[in-house]
Structures are given as structure tokens and as C-alpha cells.
Coordinates of all heavy atoms in Angstrom, one line a residue:
E79 N 0.8 -1.2 0.0 CA 0.0 0.0 0.0 C 0.9 1.3 0.0 O 0.6 2.2 -0.7 CB -0.9 0.0 1.2 CG -2.0 1.1 1.2 CD -3.0 0.8 0.0 OE1 -3.3 -0.3 -0.3 OE2 -3.5 1.8 -0.5
R80 N 2.0 1.2 0.7 CA 3.0 2.3 0.7 C 3.5 2.5 -0.8 O 3.7 3.6 -1.2 CB 4.1 2.1 1.7 CG 4.8 3.3 2.0 CD 5.8 3.1 3.2 NE 5.2 2.5 4.3 CZ 4.6 3.2 5.3 NH1 4.4 4.5 5.1 NH2 4.0 2.6 6.3
L81 N 3.8 1.4 -1.4 CA 4.3 1.4 -2.8 C 3.2 2.0 -3.7 O 3.6 2.8 -4.6 CB 4.7 0.0 -3.3 CG 5.3 -0.1 -4.6 CD1 6.6 0.6 -4.7 CD2 5.4 -1.6 -5.0
Y82 N 2.0 1.7 -3.5 CA 0.9 2.3 -4.3 C 0.9 3.8 -4.2 O 0.8 4.5 -5.2 CB -0.5 1.7 -3.9 CG -1.6 2.5 -4.4 CD1 -2.0 2.4 -5.7 CD2 -2.3 3.5 -3.6 CE1 -3.0 3.2 -6.2 CE2 -3.3 4.3 -4.1 CZ -3.7 4.1 -5.4 OH -4.7 4.9 -5.9
E83 N 1.1 4.3 -3.0 CA 1.1 5.7 -2.8 C 2.3 6.4 -3.6 O 2.1 7.4 -4.2 CB 1.2 6.1 -1.3 CG 1.2 7.6 -1.1 CD 1.2 8.0 0.4 OE1 1.0 7.1 1.3 OE2 1.4 9.2 0.7
V84 N 3.4 5.7 -3.6 CA 4.5 6.2 -4.4 C 4.2 6.2 -5.8 O 4.5 7.1 -6.5 CB 5.8 5.3 -4.1 CG1 6.9 5.6 -5.1 CG2 6.3 5.4 -2.7
S85 N 3.5 5.2 -6.3 CA 3.1 5.1 -7.7 C 2.2 6.3 -8.1 O 2.1 6.6 -9.3 CB 2.4 3.8 -8.0 OG 1.1 3.7 -7.6
Q86 N 1.5 6.9 -7.2 CA 0.6 8.0 -7.5 C 1.5 9.3 -7.6 O 1.0 10.3 -8.1 CB -0.4 8.2 -6.4 CG -1.4 7.0 -6.3 CD -2.0 6.6 -7.6 OE1 -2.8 7.3 -8.1 NE2 -1.6 5.4 -8.1
Q87 N 2.7 9.3 -7.1 CA 3.6 10.5 -7.2 C 4.7 10.4 -8.2 O 5.1 11.4 -8.8 CB 4.2 10.7 -5.8 CG 3.2 10.9 -4.7 CD 3.9 11.1 -3.3 OE1 4.8 11.9 -3.2 NE2 3.5 10.4 -2.3
I88 N 5.1 9.1 -8.5 CA 6.2 8.9 -9.4 C 5.7 8.0 -10.5 O 5.2 6.9 -10.3 CB 7.4 8.2 -8.7 CG1 7.9 9.0 -7.5 CG2 8.5 7.9 -9.7 CD1 8.4 10.3 -7.8
D89 N 5.8 8.5 -11.8 CA 5.3 7.8 -12.9 C 6.4 6.8 -13.4 O 7.6 7.2 -13.6 CB 5.0 8.7 -14.0 CG 4.3 8.0 -15.2 OD1 3.4 7.2 -15.0 OD2 4.7 8.2 -16.4
A90 N 6.0 5.5 -13.6 CA 6.9 4.5 -14.0 C 6.1 3.4 -14.7 O 4.9 3.3 -14.4 CB 7.8 4.0 -12.9
D91 N 6.8 2.5 -15.4 CA 6.1 1.4 -16.0 C 6.2 0.2 -15.0 O 5.3 -0.7 -15.0 CB 6.8 1.0 -17.3 CG 6.7 2.1 -18.3 OD1 5.6 2.5 -18.6 OD2 7.8 2.5 -18.8
L92 N 7.3 0.1 -14.2 CA 7.5 -1.0 -13.3 C 8.1 -0.4 -12.0 O 9.0 0.4 -12.0 CB 8.4 -2.0 -13.9 CG 8.4 -3.4 -13.1 CD1 7.1 -4.1 -13.3 CD2 9.5 -4.2 -13.7
Y93 N 7.5 -0.8 -10.9 CA 8.0 -0.4 -9.6 C 8.6 -1.7 -8.9 O 7.8 -2.7 -8.6 CB 6.9 0.1 -8.7 CG 6.2 1.3 -9.3 CD1 5.2 1.2 -10.3 CD2 6.6 2.6 -9.0 CE1 4.6 2.3 -10.9 CE2 6.0 3.7 -9.6 CZ 5.0 3.6 -10.5 OH 4.4 4.6 -11.1
V94 N 9.8 -1.6 -8.6 CA 10.5 -2.8 -7.9 C 10.7 -2.4 -6.4 O 11.3 -1.4 -6.1 CB 11.9 -3.1 -8.5 CG1 12.5 -4.2 -7.8 CG2 11.7 -3.5 -10.0
M95 N 10.0 -3.2 -5.6 CA 10.0 -3.0 -4.2 C 11.1 -3.8 -3.5 O 11.1 -5.1 -3.7 CB 8.7 -3.3 -3.5 CG 8.6 -3.1 -2.0 SD 6.9 -3.0 -1.4 CE 6.4 -4.7 -1.7
I96 N 12.0 -3.2 -2.8 CA 13.1 -3.9 -2.1 C 12.9 -3.6 -0.6 O 13.0 -2.5 -0.2 CB 14.5 -3.4 -2.5 CG1 14.7 -3.4 -4.0 CG2 15.6 -4.3 -1.9 CD1 14.5 -2.1 -4.7
N97 N 12.5 -4.6 0.1 CA 12.1 -4.4 1.5 C 13.3 -3.9 2.3 O 14.5 -4.3 2.1 CB 11.7 -5.7 2.2 CG 10.3 -6.1 1.7 OD1 9.6 -5.4 0.9 ND2 9.8 -7.2 2.3
G98 N 13.0 -2.9 3.1 CA 14.1 -2.3 3.9 C 14.7 -3.1 5.0 O 15.7 -2.7 5.6
D99 N 14.3 -4.4 5.1 CA 14.9 -5.3 6.1 C 15.6 -6.4 5.4 O 15.8 -7.5 6.0 CB 13.8 -5.8 7.1 CG 12.7 -6.6 6.3 OD1 12.8 -6.7 5.1 OD2 11.7 -7.0 7.0
E100 N 16.1 -6.1 4.2 CA 16.9 -7.1 3.4 C 18.3 -6.6 3.2 O 18.7 -6.3 2.0 CB 16.2 -7.5 2.1 CG 14.9 -8.2 2.2 CD 15.1 -9.8 2.3 OE1 16.3 -10.2 2.4 OE2 14.1 -10.5 2.4
P101 N 19.1 -6.5 4.2 CA 20.4 -5.8 4.0 C 21.5 -6.5 3.2 O 22.5 -5.9 2.8 CB 20.9 -5.5 5.5 CG 20.2 -6.6 6.2 CD 18.9 -6.8 5.6
V102 N 21.3 -7.8 3.0 CA 22.3 -8.5 2.3 C 21.9 -8.8 0.8 O 22.7 -9.4 0.1 CB 22.8 -9.8 3.0 CG1 23.2 -9.5 4.4 CG2 21.7 -10.9 2.9
I103 N 20.7 -8.5 0.4 CA 20.3 -8.7 -0.9 C 21.2 -7.9 -1.9 O 21.5 -6.7 -1.6 CB 18.8 -8.4 -1.1 CG1 18.2 -9.1 -2.4 CG2 18.5 -6.9 -1.1 CD1 18.1 -10.6 -2.3
E104 N 21.5 -8.5 -3.0 CA 22.5 -7.8 -4.0 C 21.8 -7.5 -5.3 O 20.8 -8.1 -5.7 CB 23.7 -8.6 -4.2 CG 24.5 -8.9 -2.9 CD 25.8 -9.6 -3.2 OE1 26.4 -9.4 -4.2 OE2 26.2 -10.5 -2.3
A105 N 22.4 -6.5 -6.0 CA 21.8 -6.1 -7.3 C 21.6 -7.2 -8.3 O 20.6 -7.2 -9.0 CB 22.7 -5.0 -7.9
K106 N 22.6 -8.1 -8.3 CA 22.4 -9.2 -9.3 C 21.2 -10.1 -9.0 O 20.8 -10.8 -10.0 CB 23.7 -10.1 -9.3 CG 24.0 -10.8 -8.0 CD 25.3 -11.6 -8.0 CE 25.6 -12.3 -6.7 NZ 24.6 -13.2 -6.3
D107 N 20.7 -10.1 -7.8 CA 19.5 -10.8 -7.5 C 18.3 -10.0 -7.6 O 17.2 -10.5 -8.0 CB 19.6 -11.4 -6.1 CG 20.8 -12.3 -5.9 OD1 21.0 -13.2 -6.8 OD2 21.6 -12.2 -5.0
I108 N 18.3 -8.7 -7.2 CA 17.2 -7.8 -7.3 C 16.6 -7.9 -8.8 O 15.4 -7.9 -8.9 CB 17.6 -6.4 -6.9 CG1 17.9 -6.4 -5.4 CG2 16.4 -5.4 -7.3 CD1 18.5 -5.0 -5.0
V109 N 17.5 -7.8 -9.8 CA 17.0 -7.7 -11.2 C 16.2 -9.0 -11.6 O 15.6 -8.9 -12.7 CB 18.2 -7.4 -12.1 CG1 18.8 -6.1 -11.8 CG2 19.2 -8.6 -12.1
K110 N 16.4 -10.1 -10.9 CA 15.7 -11.3 -11.4 C 14.2 -11.3 -11.3 O 13.5 -12.1 -11.9 CB 16.2 -12.5 -10.5 CG 17.7 -12.8 -10.8 CD 18.3 -13.8 -9.9 CE 19.8 -14.0 -10.1 NZ 20.4 -15.0 -9.1
C111 N 13.6 -10.3 -10.6 CA 12.2 -10.1 -10.6 C 11.6 -9.3 -11.8 O 10.4 -9.2 -11.9 CB 11.7 -9.5 -9.3 SG 12.1 -7.8 -9.1
I112 N 12.6 -8.8 -12.6 CA 12.2 -7.9 -13.7 C 12.0 -8.7 -14.9 O 12.9 -9.4 -15.4 CB 13.2 -6.8 -13.9 CG1 13.3 -5.9 -12.6 CG2 12.8 -5.9 -15.1 CD1 14.5 -4.9 -12.7
P113 N 10.8 -8.7 -15.6 CA 10.6 -9.5 -16.8 C 11.3 -9.0 -18.0 O 11.6 -7.8 -18.1 CB 9.1 -9.4 -17.0 CG 8.7 -8.1 -16.4 CD 9.6 -7.9 -15.2
A114 N 11.7 -9.9 -18.9 CA 12.4 -9.5 -20.1 C 11.6 -8.7 -21.0 O 12.0 -7.8 -21.7 CB 13.0 -10.8 -20.8
N115 N 10.3 -9.1 -21.1 CA 9.4 -8.4 -22.0 C 8.1 -8.0 -21.2 O 7.5 -8.8 -20.5 CB 9.0 -9.3 -23.2 CG 10.1 -9.6 -24.0 OD1 10.8 -8.8 -24.6 ND2 10.5 -10.9 -24.1

């Protein structure tokens, strides 16, 4: 719901949410949720 509020202020095609309690997650893994097409 917090992400939805952000989407009303920032225009984008895709919003990737990275939880603030995931301190060891790395960029190479974050991108895996993004579809190719």
C-alpha cells in the first residue's frame, strides 16, 4: 500500500520494491524479478 502511494507520485512502468529489512540482498539478485518483456 505504501508502494501504491509512491506510484501516485512517481510515474513509471514498473515499480520494484526492495524491503528495507533485506540488508544482504544484492543487485544481481534484485534484477531477477524484472521480466524480459
Side-chain angles (χ1 to χ4, degrees):
E79 192 64 35
R80 198 173 305 281
L81 183 65
Y82 165 77
E83 184 178 345
V84 171
S85 75
Q86 299 307 291
Q87 301 180 49
I88 304 296
D89 187 44
D91 299 305
L92 194 69
Y93 301 84
V94 177
M95 180 166 64
I96 310 99
N97 285 1
D99 58 4
E100 290 276 3
V102 305
I103 198 72
E104 297 185 38
K106 65 182 177 61
D107 300 311
I108 293 171
V109 297
K110 293 174 183 176
C111 71
I112 299 172
N115 297 296

